[in-house]
């Protein structure tokens, strides 16, 4: 066969074949998705690009297209108002016509089409070219909706044919993911508690997470002090906010104070406030965190680092709901809920006389231990996917996903820094993958120092513990450099105690370059 050249008379046919090849290749890539949300995002993006559309909307309906069932949807190129208009008119207009007739609807101008021109949303948004294809049949599983082309004119017959091909393939893939999601939710032990609580930010469906949510459901509605315990990086601050958001004070402020982030001389005034002249830096009245949290929640992180003098005042606050600002002799009433957190053994601190026993009893009216990531290893994949999506949004990166190899490596790794360490690793991996111009995160992006050892037998292979230790050292060094070696600010950014920063500096042998 002769080689086809650009001068060949059949170049248009060749272009068509190449476009179809690209469509099928991307559909094959789409079939590798195993989570519904990224699947929807990639599916819509694929066809919006192929059709040259200005705006797109894709929706799936679970349970055979029942409009009362939960919907899964995504939009592209639409403002919030435009998405609201599209979703508000699903039962009428173009989308309703496509679903009811089980056929693809294409019109050069909805404003002039007698079927749609009297619709309020069509007149309001002056909608021109439209292409709308049902996904699946008997009844449709969802709908693909495209509005207006980047180039002038209507959607072509080729666009319509491609949309129908696309819809057939997406229907099979989406049905598989919906069934998988339904089965997973049916076996999800956290579901009974998620239906009662606002916990969208708590990722995971493990038994350990279910036990945690069960305790939150008990404690959140009751206006009592709570002590959160657990290793550093497990998410105690986030859990404190969840308790606040689901409690009787949710309309009030949520005020945080890291007891290890301030020097002892300033901590008491930061907590309880200070009158002018109370100490050398109090030239004017200082409102403390207790006052700022009035009718809300005061979250005291690293409570084990609270000095003994401040512990006595905190005990008084918990007992009588009263306190004295620094330098004041008039009692102040307080209406706050106290949630405290620690990663140290307060019982041992009591034994060593670093913490008051009566305060420990007051704080742990209802103690909750937050599980380590090692205790909920089955949540790692979901957490990694969530952190990946958030990193892409935060840093305006192209939509990335973890490769199967990267996901398995993350699940097998030890994460002594718990959820926080995993988040930092995935965030850095997303940046590396985007820098390489890739659409997915590979294992080498998550564990960059370990990638070379795997590829070359000459280099010593690291264990996951060794790789993790190197990551911690580099993270600490980068943060110290970023803050100009301000240990207090470094501790705040890493959410660890100042004393722990000093310990890590010594343990890793880090020295400041002069």
């Amino acid at each position: 066969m002769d080689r086809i050249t650009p001068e060949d008379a059949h170049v248009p046919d060749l272009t068509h074949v190449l476009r179809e090849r690209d469509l099928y290749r991307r559909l094959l890539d789409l079939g590798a998705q195993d989570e519904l949300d990224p699947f929807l995002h990639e599916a819509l993006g694929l066809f919006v690009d192929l059709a040259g559309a200005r705006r797109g909307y894709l929706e799936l309906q679970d349970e055979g297209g029942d409009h009362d069932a939960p919907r899964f949807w995504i939009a592209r190129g639409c403002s919030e108002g435009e998405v609201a208009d599209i979703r508000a008119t699903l039962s009428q207009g173009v989308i309703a016509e496509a679903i009811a007739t089980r056929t693809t609807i294409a019109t050069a101008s909805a404003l002039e089409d007698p079927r749609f021109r009297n619709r309020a949303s069509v007149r309001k948004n002056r909608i021109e070219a439209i292409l709308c294809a049902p996904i699946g049949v008997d009844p449709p599983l969802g709908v693909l909706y495209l509005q207006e082309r980047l180039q002038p004119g209507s959607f072509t017959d080729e666009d319509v044919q491609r949309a129908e091909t696309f819809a057939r393939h997406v229907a099979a893939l989406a049905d598989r993911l919906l069934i998988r999601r339904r089965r997973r939710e049916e076996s999800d032990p956290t579901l009974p508690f998620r239906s009662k609580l606002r916990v969208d930010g708590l990722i995971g469906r493990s038994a350990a997470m279910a036990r945690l949510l069960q305790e939150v459901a008990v404690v959140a509605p009751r206006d009592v002090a709570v002590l959160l315990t657990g290793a550093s990086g497990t998410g105690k601050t986030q859990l404190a906010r969840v308790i606040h958001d689901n409690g009787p004070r949710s309309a009030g402020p949520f005020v945080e104070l890291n007891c290890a982030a301030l020097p002892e001389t300033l901590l008491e005034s930061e907590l309880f406030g200070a009158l002018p002249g109370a100490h050398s830096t109090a030239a004017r009245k200082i409102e403390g965190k207790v006052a700022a949290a009035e009718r809300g929640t005061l979250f005291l992180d690293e409570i084990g680092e609270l000095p003994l003098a401040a512990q006595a005042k905190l005990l008084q606050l918990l007992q009588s709901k009263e306190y004295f600002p620094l330098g004041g002799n008039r009692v102040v009433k307080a209406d706050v809920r106290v949630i405290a957190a620690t990663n140290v053994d307060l019982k041992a601190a009591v034994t060593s006389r670093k913490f008051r026993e009566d305060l420990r009893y007051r704080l742990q009216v209802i103690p909750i231990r937050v599980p380590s990531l090692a205790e909920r290893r089955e949540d790692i994949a979901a957490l990694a996917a969530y952190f990946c999506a958030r990193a892409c949004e935060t840093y305006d990166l192209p939509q990335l996903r973890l490769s199967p190899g990267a996901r398995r490596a993350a699940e097998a790794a030890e994460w002594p820094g718990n959820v926080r360490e995993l988040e930092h690793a995935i965030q850095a991996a997303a940046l590396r993958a985007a820098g390489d111009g890739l659409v997915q995160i590979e294992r080498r992006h998550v564990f960059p120092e370990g990638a070379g050892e795997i590829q070359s037998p000459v280099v010593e292979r690291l264990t996951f513990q060794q790789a993790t230790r190197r990551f911690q050292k580099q993270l600490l060094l980068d943060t110290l450099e970023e803050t100009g070696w301000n240990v207090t600010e470094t501790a705040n950014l890493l959410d660890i105690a100042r004393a722990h920063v000093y310990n890590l500096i010594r343990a890793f042998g880090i020295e400041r370059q002069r």
Side-chain angles (χ1 to χ4, degrees):
M1 179 181 290
D2 294 335
R3 182 175 177 271
I4 297 177
T5 67
E7 292 76 26
D8 195 288
H10 299 290
V11 165
D13 292 336
L14 176 61
T15 302
H16 174 79
V17 169
L18 292 176
R19 286 172 65 88
E20 293 300 311
R21 181 202 65 184
D22 291 342
L23 171 62
Y24 281 104
R25 279 182 174 177
R26 294 181 69 177
L27 282 172
L28 287 173
D29 291 339
L30 193 61
Q33 277 291 350
D34 53 8
E35 292 294 337
L36 192 57
D37 290 339
F39 168 82
L40 290 175
H41 184 95
E42 290 194 21
L44 181 61
L46 186 161
F47 201 74
V48 166
D49 291 343
L50 284 172
R54 190 176 298 278
R55 298 176 181 87
Y57 178 84
L58 191 153
E59 176 173 297
L60 299 179
Q61 301 172 44
D62 206 355
E63 300 296 340
D66 180 3
H67 277 275
D68 294 328
R71 292 180 182 145
F72 308 98
W73 62 273
I74 190 162
R76 180 168 171 175
C78 302
S79 67
E80 291 185 9
E82 289 166 337
V83 172
D85 284 340
I86 292 172
R87 301 196 72 224
T89 57
L90 287 177
S91 60
Q92 54 186 322
V94 179
I95 293 177
E97 180 84 7
I99 292 175
T101 62
R102 316 297 202 257
T103 58
T104 301
I105 303 294
T107 182
S109 173
L111 269 174
E112 299 177 4
D113 194 312
R115 295 172 296 176
F116 314 118
R117 64 189 178 194
N118 292 326
R119 303 293 180 186
S121 61
V122 170
R123 296 198 306 271
K124 172 185 174 184
N125 297 310
R126 304 193 62 79
I127 298 174
E128 295 289 342
I130 281 177
L131 173 58
C132 185
I135 297 174
V137 293
D138 198 27
L141 184 66
V143 68
L144 167 69
Y145 173 86
L146 302 181
Q147 180 180 309
E148 300 178 8
R149 300 181 73 245
L150 293 172
Q151 302 298 326
S154 60
F155 292 102
T156 65
D157 291 341
E158 184 181 355
D159 291 329
V160 172
Q161 182 182 7
R162 193 178 290 116
E164 292 172 344
T165 301
F166 174 82
R168 284 198 302 272
H169 285 274
V170 166
L173 299 173
D175 194 44
R176 172 179 63 83
L177 291 179
L178 286 169
I179 291 172
R180 175 178 176 173
R181 184 186 183 105
R182 201 178 306 133
R183 287 175 177 170
R184 187 171 59 190
E185 289 183 346
E186 287 171 355
S187 61
D188 179 3
T190 70
L191 202 58
F193 309 109
R194 291 185 181 278
S195 62
K196 300 175 185 176
L197 300 168
R198 288 185 294 162
V199 290
D200 293 339
L202 289 183
I203 308 301
R205 295 182 171 86
S206 61
M209 180 59 72
R211 289 191 294 270
L212 182 64
L213 291 179
Q214 183 177 24
E215 292 181 303
V216 170
V218 170
V219 71
R222 293 164 177 80
D223 198 9
V224 296
V226 180
L227 178 64
L228 304 177
T229 63
S232 179
T234 51
K236 296 186 288 295
T237 300
Q238 184 185 22
L239 190 65
R241 187 173 286 278
V242 166
I243 293 172
H244 167 78
D245 289 342
N246 288 277
R249 297 174 177 269
S250 58
F254 178 85
V255 178
E256 301 178 42
L257 176 64
N258 189 318
C259 299
L262 290 169
E264 184 174 338
T265 54
L266 296 179
L267 184 57
E268 199 171 333
S269 62
E270 182 75 11
L271 182 56
F272 299 105
L275 298 182
H279 55 75
S280 59
T281 62
R284 54 183 176 78
K285 182 179 178 180
I286 299 174
E287 181 184 60
K289 298 294 188 184
V290 175
E294 183 71 11
R295 296 187 180 180
T297 299
L298 175 64
F299 174 57
L300 300 176
D301 199 8
E302 301 287 357
I303 190 67
E305 300 290 328
L306 194 66
L308 286 169
Q311 289 180 32
K313 282 195 170 186
L314 179 59
L315 178 63
Q316 179 186 16
L317 174 69
L318 292 170
Q319 289 175 332
S320 64
K321 300 295 182 183
E322 296 177 345
Y323 68 99
F324 287 91
L326 197 65
N329 54 18
R330 182 173 298 178
V331 71
V332 178
K333 291 283 187 181
D335 179 15
V336 297
R337 178 184 193 175
V338 175
I339 300 177
T342 182
N343 59 6
V344 302
D345 185 348
L346 288 187
K347 189 174 181 180
V350 168
T351 302
S352 61
R353 301 184 179 231
K354 293 180 180 178
F355 203 84
R356 296 179 61 116
E357 186 170 25
D358 46 3
L359 177 58
R360 181 171 73 91
Y361 287 136
R362 280 285 180 180
L363 287 172
Q364 64 175 25
V365 174
I366 302 183
I368 296 178
R369 191 183 74 83
V370 185
S372 67
L373 196 54
E375 297 174 81
R376 43 185 293 230
R377 190 168 289 278
E378 57 266 54
D379 292 335
I380 290 177
L383 284 165
Y386 173 77
F387 292 142
C388 176
R390 196 162 74 177
C392 292
E393 180 180 353
T394 300
Y395 298 108
D396 194 26
L397 304 177
Q399 292 300 313
L400 300 167
R401 65 177 184 270
L402 273 79
S403 70
R407 186 175 64 248
R408 286 192 295 268
E411 289 176 317
E414 298 296 329
W415 299 101
N418 293 292
V419 177
R420 186 186 301 116
E421 183 183 358
L422 175 64
E423 179 179 11
H424 289 316
I426 297 300
Q427 183 182 72
L431 291 168
R432 293 187 189 106
D436 288 345
L438 301 178
V439 296
Q440 70 178 10
I441 295 172
E442 301 295 346
R443 177 176 178 167
R444 68 178 185 275
H445 297 128
V446 184
F447 303 103
E449 294 188 8
E453 293 90 3
I454 294 171
Q455 294 170 0
S456 173
V458 177
V459 183
E460 179 186 359
R461 185 187 299 272
L462 294 180
T463 66
F464 280 121
Q465 291 86 349
Q466 289 169 327
T468 299
R469 185 174 173 83
R470 286 193 182 181
F471 172 82
Q472 289 177 318
K473 178 180 179 180
Q474 190 61 48
L475 175 64
L476 177 60
L477 182 59
D478 290 346
T479 310
L480 285 167
E481 294 293 342
E482 178 185 342
T483 61
W485 277 73
N486 185 318
V487 174
T488 298
E489 190 176 351
T490 297
N492 279 337
L493 290 173
L494 297 179
D495 197 16
I496 58 177
R498 281 182 304 134
H500 191 38
V501 173
Y502 285 117
N503 289 338
L504 289 173
I505 290 172
R506 286 192 295 270
F508 292 137
I510 296 174
E511 294 182 1
R512 186 175 188 179
Q513 299 297 319
R514 299 296 181 183

